[in-house]
Amino acid sequence: MDNVVDENKVNQVVESAKGQTAGYELPLLLFAGFRTLIDRLHAELARQGHPDLRPAYGFAMQAVGTGRDGATASEIGRRLGVTKQAAGKTVDRLVAVGYAERTDDPADARRKRVRLTAHGLDALARSAAVFDALRTEWSRALGPDRLHDLEDALRTVVPPEAIRLDAANWLGGSGA
């Protein structure tokens, strides 16, 4: 496969040799699989009453957590690998669309804590259910053994510490 640009398609991958897989195809397929799952998730969440939810919000809501204590903007920024200011902007948007709220920090009057609202918790619960349904679809399409083998193979090559929320740095966001 070769990566080519033509006037109709911006970044098209074309087959160059039968039976050969170019090294760059693996990350493209992994990213396309991720993107397919995330796009389908958000389409379904929109149908279920969460049309304002964006992929970045899901990462941020995971960084806030589901506990009563929530998190500070600094903690959210650290968990996401972004600055406190960038985290604050995301929190502002989550508050504006009703997924989070700011509360006083009982331990420090100078700080605010961010907690998920009932609407935010509902979005996370629905996200989990949709991901389960999408995994079931993949299992039907691939067969349960092949899907398990795929997941197991990825666990073998992906170090556990690489599974984290701070995607912003390698996607071009502002780092901490």
Side-chain angles (χ1 to χ4, degrees), residues 78-175:
R78 232 180 347 271
R79 292 170 188 166
L80 294 174
V82 300
T83 63
K84 175 184 172 183
Q85 292 78 14
K89 286 182 181 181
T90 301
V91 169
D92 289 343
R93 188 67 189 134
L94 288 174
V95 169
V97 294
Y99 290 106
E101 63 186 359
R102 287 189 172 92
T103 61
D104 292 330
D105 187 331
D108 185 344
R110 297 169 296 166
R111 284 193 308 198
K112 292 285 187 184
R113 298 202 67 81
V114 179
R115 289 191 313 213
L116 297 181
T117 62
H119 191 55
L121 293 169
D122 180 69
L124 285 183
R126 288 176 186 269
S127 293
V130 173
F131 275 131
D132 286 344
L134 291 170
R135 188 187 181 286
T136 298
E137 283 183 24
W138 279 39
S139 182
R140 270 188 253 132
L142 298 172
D145 291 340
R146 285 180 68 201
L147 180 58
H148 175 72
D149 289 347
L150 173 63
E151 292 168 332
D152 196 45
L154 287 170
R155 281 186 204 96
T156 299
V157 297
V158 175
E161 65 274 8
I163 300 172
R164 53 188 206 260
L165 299 174
D166 65 342
N169 287 334
W170 58 268
L171 288 175
S174 58

